[in-house]
Amino acid sequence: DAVARTGAVAAIVRDAVLTQPVWDMHTHLYPPTFGTPSQSAGQPSDPNGLLLWGVDELLTYHYLVAETFRVVPNAELSYATFWSMSKQDQADHIWRQLFLERSPVSEACRGVLTTLAALGLDPGERDLGRYRRWFAEQEPSKHIDRVMELSGVSRITMTNAVFDDNERLRWLENPQVAADSRFAGVLRFDPLVRDWPAAAAMLSRWGYPATESLDEPSVQNARRFLNDWIDRVSAIYCAVSLPPTFRYESPEDGTYSSRVLSEVVLPVLAERGLPFAMMIGSQLQVNPSLRDAGDMVGMSDVNSVTRLANDFPDNRFFCTMLARENQHALAVAARKFGNLMVFGCWWFLNNPSLVDEITRMRVELLGLSFIPQHSDARVLEQLVYKWSHSRQIIADVLIDKYADIERTGWRVSEKEIRRDVRLLFEGNFSRFVEAPAP
Amino acid sequence: DAVARTGAVAAIVRDAVLTQPVWDMHTHLYPPTFGTPSQSAGQPSDPNGLLLWGVDELLTYHYLVAETFRVVPNAELSYATFWSMSKQDQADHIWRQLFLERSPVSEACRGVLTTLAALGLDPGERDLGRYRRWFAEQEPSKHIDRVMELSGVSRITMTNAVFDDNERLRWLENPQVAADSRFAGVLRFDPLVRDWPAAAAMLSRWGYPATESLDEPSVQNARRFLNDWIDRVSAIYCAVSLPPTFRYESPEDGTYSSRVLSEVVLPVLAERGLPFAMMIGSQLQVNPSLRDAGDMVGMSDVNSVTRLANDFPDNRFFCTMLARENQHALAVAARKFGNLMVFGCWWFLNNPSLVDEITRMRVELLGLSFIPQHSDARVLEQLVYKWSHSRQIIADVLIDKYADIERTGWRVSEKEIRRDVRLLFEGNFSRFVEAPAP
Amino acid sequence: DAVARTGAVAAIVRDAVLTQPVWDMHTHLYPPTFGTPSQSAGQPSDPNGLLLWGVDELLTYHYLVAETFRVVPNAELSYATFWSMSKQDQADHIWRQLFLERSPVSEACRGVLTTLAALGLDPGERDLGRYRRWFAEQEPSKHIDRVMELSGVSRITMTNAVFDDNERLRWLENPQVAADSRFAGVLRFDPLVRDWPAAAAMLSRWGYPATESLDEPSVQNARRFLNDWIDRVSAIYCAVSLPPTFRYESPEDGTYSSRVLSEVVLPVLAERGLPFAMMIGSQLQVNPSLRDAGDMVGMSDVNSVTRLANDFPDNRFFCTMLARENQHALAVAARKFGNLMVFGCWWFLNNPSLVDEITRMRVELLGLSFIPQHSDARVLEQLVYKWSHSRQIIADVLIDKYADIERTGWRVSEKEIRRDVRLLFEGNFSRFVEAPAP
Ligand SMILES: [Mg+2]
Ligand SMILES: [Zn+2]
Ligand SMILES: [Zn+2]
Ligand SMILES: [Zn+2]
């Protein structure tokens, strides 16, 4: 009967969503060859290493640092004191304040528990020492395999910030640094679009002479710079993070960013057949004392995105925005442009109530033609909770939507459900980057 | 006991909401006398006819065209090619892409299935040919009766665009063109408010001499134009669609739109006792290649609406806005002005998750003093799904609200529930237009 | 098993939330010593008295006046006529229109029913005369005890508007006017920040000479004024309501409000160790004919708040905003500043669907480090419904959140749940004002 049918469909959807491998399109994770600051079995610690993992990194995630400074504010434990503490002492402080002195109900706290549990550790023990000992015994590369297995992530997309000295030098020193098939590269170059004069100075230093005026030789050198680095990181797309104030009116609107986009970035990407990802709405460092935790959200201009999609039909654009109040218009914008792919519930939006409303709205407006989530993981094991929590919500939404159409007499087969879920978790992305799913 | 009581009330509410005839206050539907491009039994096809109906129209609805260009983008099947295809070929393409290649979970896709099922066709068959044969056998006027019966629509309000040549000439050629009691007329004149200079030129051509300067004779002639056309279409209200950038500061704010409103439109409507409807927030043609599907949403200025309601207390205003982010303030604005009636969940808002949040918010802020929905149907049979889907959500909201007040000991009778539902579906509207419910 | 465990936790949460005494941080209530216009046993009526209570005040609450003018608009019963009616006649009119002619499903209507029921009156009787007789028999001070008991309010925070003549004179005439331990004082001085020139003139008249130029003597006198009044009302914090247009760029941004804040208000409050509360987003009197019901909502600037929190690290800020569209960014802002405490769901946001979404979002982003609600009660007995309705929703949210973390194996004890709930209802506030919970 109808109830049994609904239950059967729901069970298939849940299974499909929970088991479907996902190509995680945006993380801040790296292979062990980029070094890791954590203590581990089998790899010496590199204090500036880029791969973060382990329980102390999970606990000192900047989301939790921010929450801790609410309950023990600067007036009680100063920013300076906190930052001078060892990572383990910081983690102890956060654990005590956010998990023991009050219940860990925020999404970021809950994420730590979900992660520990999935790794076979028991959050009910509340035994930080034991968790630490377990992590110290892991060998990074095998641990990555295990985390990918547990989170159902088939490939991890990096964010390769070419203007970051620490990262850039690692690429230059070791051309094989990223020779790890579990990871895919993304060239990220915020200063190029956000601050051309500063970027031009750096390009010049790096052998790509460029002037503030962005004259023709500068354009050519900047393009060569992009091409070289796209090759070096084998980038599957390029990306920038843009502030809420970002505006694009036209190539001739008189801003550096519009000129850089129209003369340098978009022509190169069109030629290379690579999408351009824009993450818009993060306002940097409203509280510098919080460091990585000090950025804020702001409303962005969706019209700038539709104008880019319209003016550059030979480019493909990924776009996510940070403000809740941009989500409806951004989803509508995607209805207007086939070369615009909305993705993810970013950062302050990656909370159950918001993921639910955004995903529901997107399915209603866009069907299956979007990318529901990325993890944005900065610490390896966050893959586990970010995907576990999101999968539950995505499954709930799909169950409702299949139930709605089944009520009309339409019948959806298991094969169709798995096909649909594959589109959301892998197919839409791999098709947009024109690369086969892993 | 309490549970049984809650269940009994819920059953009454559901029955009341599902069976209550609705006066649909905004559609783009017409009587068969305006011609129909579809093949049918008993009426010759008119390629420029205004009444759209049938499965090919349902499938080529611009909502679905937009969604199709996301999955088969311009790069794969160009806009030009698509628009050159026959309606049936377009429909085949859309059916294949949105219903067969992936599941039809978007709200617009689901709507097609709901409609087919209600008409007695089986969506489970997935047999487009069969659906087509059934529609070809229908006689338009009888089909309208049937669709109205199935959707519970007691009267269909048209949108009579006087600046549209195709439509205007039909009115001029045949004064009886709308002599169909199932339909009510609404005079729509966007150019008058949005682009006075262009409108003035047309008015002059049509025998109502008007100048760009909007001098006194222009005012008088424009008023006469409105009066003549209000009479011709027996308009029960007048309407415009306005862009997100619409602003009204005062009659003397220096804009054409404020002058046209304060000197022409609002005085005529006050004299005639007719409401003025403003649909605000649609940004035209951000992607012209998509034609009807190329419009976008934008945030509008609710303060302009409250100023109009305040400055023109002798006028009555209907208002709906397209941006989700305007809905809360618009509902609050309605709390401030008894001559402001909010209505409907428009276009990109007509999706279950948004209809639910908007309806809930409105009941909480406004009680029963608003108009929860209009269909905006462009294709006759869309009446079926737009009302079916909305009725379910409205019933859910009302059930919760009655349950809340019954928990205090308040007892709501069946008669009261039916009275309340009638207000929402018919009474508030008929009272605002000062016309008896059909 | 898991289901039983979830049920047991839910039962504890519900009990904890329903029984936890709350320190209501913002109301417009007063002790009987401020006079009451209502008829009662044991206290003569004072037509300008500040303590509102009783069924006629509940029914003529400005929320309900606004709703009534929607269903019987000015054109049918003019504003002038309504305002000239006696309070009892107004209440009769509202009762008839909003409770009898249509069902009382709005949140404000429902609130009256919840309140009557909690007081032992039966809403099912619909007998206004009987309700009136019951209220007339109450003695104000004992009635306050009873209402506090029923609503679980342990202390009522007043709003002591020093620029309101009626209130100011009562303080000056009777230094003991507020000697009632059930009430705590808050100094409210909107004109000081919103309209310095007007405020300066009044300060000068009151013995604190101040000039429009805000010269050094003016600063000193304004500070003295604040200090004197903080002492007089034993203020536990100071507060202003600000319009949506409020902006703070820097102390030198050239606005009076930024100068008054940085030179007068914030230095005094830092010295006194008192928080500063900003309620932002109310646009005054868009419809003056509605009097208290004539204010509107508008989007505010969250960045102004983060700049204040950043520029004045020695101050503590309470903040609530009126626009739904500010809630996400405001919660994120609180993540950035430990000296910024978000509180409450204000006015047009105090509706179940919005309280639910805001509370959920805050818990996800902030854990337990915020103040979920204040009553804003203007009529004594509103404490009952405002807290009853909010407690139900807060409990629902917490139940979900505890269930989420328990699913990982984390175990939350009854003691921990009660500790967490105490933080939300009392602890976070009392710690922020550095005053012990009652
Ligand atoms: Mg919601
Ligand atoms: Zn990121
Ligand atoms: Zn329309
Ligand atoms: Zn208040």
Side-chain angles (χ1 to χ4, degrees), chain A residues 357, chain B residues 357, chain C residues 324 357:
Chain A
E357 78 167 25
Chain B
E357 76 167 26
Chain C
R324 181 191 185 201
E357 78 167 25

Side-chain angles (χ1 to χ4, degrees), chain A residues 114-131:
Chain A
T114 300
T115 303
L116 292 175
L119 290 167
L121 301 164
D122 179 6
E125 288 181 3
R126 307 189 179 190
D127 185 348
L128 191 45
R130 185 181 182 118
Y131 307 151

Side-chain angles (χ1 to χ4, degrees), chain B residues 17-330:
Chain B
V17 170
L18 296 187
T19 61
Q20 169 62 47
V22 64
W23 185 340
D24 191 340
M25 74 167 277
H26 174 62
T27 77
H28 299 269
L29 303 177
Y30 298 84
T33 36
F34 282 81
T36 171
S38 301
Q39 302 297 331
S40 70
Q43 180 166 338
S45 155
D46 170 350
N48 299 316
L50 292 174
L51 172 60
L52 304 184
W53 63 282
V55 71
D56 288 320
E57 296 291 352
L58 286 170
L59 285 170
T60 58
Y61 186 33
H62 64 73
Y63 289 35
L64 294 177
V65 170
E67 293 175 27
T68 301
F69 270 106
R70 287 196 61 64
V71 298
V72 184
N74 176 52
E76 291 173 34
L77 179 80
S78 74
Y79 295 121
T81 304
F82 178 83
W83 293 120
S84 72
M85 286 158 58
S86 72
K87 178 132 296 196
Q88 188 165 325
D89 285 350
Q90 292 173 354
D92 284 340
H93 175 64
I94 290 170
W95 176 255
R96 193 179 322 113
Q97 292 301 328
L98 297 186
F99 292 75
L100 305 182
E101 295 290 317
R102 45 190 62 69
S103 295
V105 289
S106 76
E107 175 63 5
C109 285
R110 175 191 168 212
V112 174
L113 305 181
T114 299
T115 304
L116 293 174
L119 290 167
L121 300 164
D122 179 6
E125 289 181 1
R126 306 188 178 191
D127 186 347
L128 191 45
R130 185 180 181 119
Y131 307 150
R132 281 185 175 127
R133 286 192 297 278
W134 184 87
F135 279 97
E137 286 161 14
Q138 308 308 311
E139 189 278 316
S141 191
K142 279 191 202 130
H143 188 51
I144 291 173
D145 280 340
R146 182 165 186 191
V147 167
M148 290 177 76
E149 175 73 27
L150 287 170
S151 55
V153 170
S154 55
R155 184 162 297 164
I156 298 171
T157 309
M158 298 178 280
T159 299
N160 303 111
V162 64
F163 284 91
D164 177 83
D165 284 340
N166 184 5
E167 177 161 356
R168 195 182 62 262
L169 294 174
R170 292 173 191 264
W171 285 100
L172 293 172
E173 282 164 12
N174 176 7
Q176 296 307 308
V177 68
D180 187 322
S181 64
R182 298 171 297 185
F183 291 80
V186 166
L187 192 66
R188 169 97 169 238
F189 43 70
D190 295 3
L192 208 64
V193 182
R194 296 177 72 133
D195 186 359
W196 167 255
M202 288 186 273
L203 261 61
S204 300
R205 244 179 289 134
W206 299 339
Y208 303 88
T211 63
E212 208 178 300
S213 68
L214 193 53
D215 53 12
E216 189 50 31
S218 301
V219 167
Q220 293 309 326
N221 286 327
R223 289 185 183 195
R224 187 166 52 85
F225 169 76
L226 284 190
N227 271 306
D228 287 355
W229 276 95
I230 286 168
D231 291 337
R232 187 170 283 118
V233 311
S234 303
I236 57 170
Y237 68 86
C238 291
V240 291
S241 169
L242 296 166
T245 50
F246 171 71
R247 292 293 179 279
Y248 166 82
E249 299 290 335
S250 79
E252 293 84 27
D253 64 18
T255 64
Y256 275 127
S257 54
S258 295
R259 286 192 59 200
V260 169
L261 288 175
S262 62
E263 298 175 35
V264 179
V265 174
L266 296 175
V268 168
L269 294 188
E271 199 183 291
R272 303 293 297 254
L274 297 180
F276 181 53
M278 296 178 287
M279 308 183 74
I280 315 180
S282 163
Q283 188 185 346
L284 300 182
Q285 297 293 284
V286 299
N287 183 357
S289 303
L290 278 178
R291 301 192 182 172
D292 277 357
D295 299 348
M296 177 70 191
V297 62
M299 280 271 276
S300 300
D301 181 48
V302 179
N303 285 332
S304 292
V305 174
T306 56
R307 280 190 289 262
L308 282 166
N310 188 65
D311 290 358
F312 299 91
D314 297 333
N315 283 92
R316 294 191 302 286
F317 299 87
F318 285 119
C319 189
T320 198
M321 286 186 168
L322 192 51
R324 180 192 185 200
E325 292 72 25
N326 282 132
Q327 299 310 312
H328 183 240
L330 182 60

Side-chain angles (χ1 to χ4, degrees), chain C residues 132-385:
Chain C
R132 281 185 175 129
R133 286 190 296 280
W134 184 87
F135 279 97
E137 286 161 14
Q138 307 308 310
E139 189 278 319
S141 190
K142 278 189 203 131
H143 189 50
I144 291 173
D145 281 338
R146 182 167 185 187
V147 167
M148 289 178 75
E149 175 74 27
L150 287 170
S151 55
V153 171
S154 54
R155 184 163 297 164
I156 299 171
T157 309
M158 297 177 281
T159 299
N160 303 112
V162 62
F163 285 91
D164 177 82
D165 284 340
N166 185 4
E167 177 163 356
R168 196 181 62 263
L169 294 175
R170 291 173 191 265
W171 286 100
L172 292 173
E173 281 163 15
N174 176 7
Q176 296 306 312
V177 69
D180 187 322
S181 64
R182 297 171 297 185
F183 292 80
V186 165
L187 191 66
R188 170 96 168 240
F189 43 69
D190 296 5
L192 207 65
V193 181
R194 297 178 73 135
D195 186 357
W196 167 254
M202 287 186 272
L203 261 61
S204 301
R205 244 179 292 133
W206 299 337
Y208 303 88
T211 64
E212 209 179 301
S213 67
L214 193 55
D215 53 14
E216 188 51 29
S218 300
V219 167
Q220 293 310 325
N221 286 326
R223 289 184 183 194
R224 188 166 52 85
F225 169 76
L226 285 189
N227 271 305
D228 286 355
W229 275 95
I230 286 169
D231 291 337
R232 186 169 283 118
V233 310
S234 302
I236 56 170
Y237 68 85
C238 291
V240 291
S241 170
L242 295 166
T245 51
F246 171 70
R247 293 294 179 277
Y248 166 82
E249 299 290 334
S250 78
E252 292 83 28
D253 64 16
T255 63
Y256 275 127
S257 55
S258 296
R259 286 192 60 200
V260 169
L261 288 175
S262 62
E263 299 176 36
V264 178
V265 174
L266 296 175
V268 167
L269 294 188
E271 200 182 293
R272 302 295 297 253
L274 297 180
F276 181 54
M278 297 178 288
M279 308 184 73
I280 316 179
S282 163
Q283 189 184 346
L284 299 182
Q285 297 294 287
V286 300
N287 184 356
S289 304
L290 278 178
R291 302 195 183 169
D292 276 356
D295 299 347
M296 176 69 189
V297 62
M299 280 271 276
S300 301
D301 181 48
V302 179
N303 286 332
S304 294
V305 174
T306 57
R307 280 191 288 263
L308 282 166
N310 188 65
D311 291 358
F312 298 91
D314 297 333
N315 283 93
R316 296 190 302 285
F317 298 87
F318 286 119
C319 190
T320 197
M321 285 185 167
L322 192 51
R324 181 191 185 201
E325 292 71 25
N326 282 131
Q327 300 309 312
H328 183 240
L330 182 60
V332 173
R335 290 180 61 84
K336 307 296 140 188
F337 293 97
N339 61 339
L340 173 60
M341 180 64 79
V342 290
F343 73 97
C345 300
W346 184 20
W347 200 344
F348 310 120
L349 296 173
N350 195 355
N351 288 299
S353 67
L354 298 169
V355 174
D356 184 84
E357 78 167 25
I358 294 168
T359 306
R360 224 165 265 281
M361 191 159 69
R362 288 177 177 170
V363 172
E364 291 166 359
L365 283 164
L366 301 171
L368 299 160
S369 69
F370 67 99
I371 295 170
Q373 192 56 301
H374 64 276
S375 75
D376 222 339
R378 240 163 230 287
V379 180
L380 175 67
E381 300 87 351
Q382 291 171 342
L383 289 178
V384 175
Y385 95 78

